[in-house]
Amino acid sequence: MSFQDINRGHGANGAAMQSRRTGPAGGDAYQTAVSQVFQMSTSLTGLKRLVDQLGGPKDTVELRQRAATMKEKITASAKQVTNSLKSMQKQTAEQPRQDQVAVAKLASDFEHVLKDFQK
């Protein structure tokens, strides 16, 4: 087995490893949710930077508008991820334990990002 085999999605026995590459319960929805949680976390870091500048010499109307826009984008992503997680959790009830654990970990990561956002 080589790294090329792994990148193509084949394990040691040559079988496809699609469930590990796409994730549980539909794959695309899972990958989209993972991506959105990562983007929320990144945007949250940027929002904190903008908020730290408020009230200082760099405080402008444009800065406040950018912060408000970023906050709205994070809120919209949070709603989408919440809906995705609800549907994935319903679907994983009949899925293998590995898929259930992956969705639970994603929900935990999302919860941490939301708590950080609510500060």
Side-chain angles (χ1 to χ4, degrees), residues 19 23-26 88 91-104:
S19 65
M88 280 188 280
Q91 292 173 359
T92 57
E94 300 105 24
Q95 298 294 325
R97 178 87 173 128
Q98 175 184 348
D99 292 352
Q100 293 174 3
V101 170
V103 171

Side-chain angles (χ1 to χ4, degrees), residues 28-73:
D28 289 339
Y30 177 79
Q31 287 299 327
T32 301
V34 168
S35 175
Q36 287 178 327
V37 170
F38 178 76
Q39 288 174 353
M40 285 175 59
S41 179
T42 303
S43 295
L44 186 57
T45 302
L47 180 62
K48 286 180 181 180
R49 243 184 275 127
L50 292 176
V51 169
D52 287 344
Q53 293 177 4
L54 295 177
K58 295 182 179 181
D59 189 357
T60 63
V61 174
E62 181 184 317
L63 177 73
R64 290 177 180 266
Q65 288 174 341
R66 283 186 12 221
T69 302
M70 194 171 287
K71 180 184 174 224
E72 290 171 5
K73 188 186 298 186

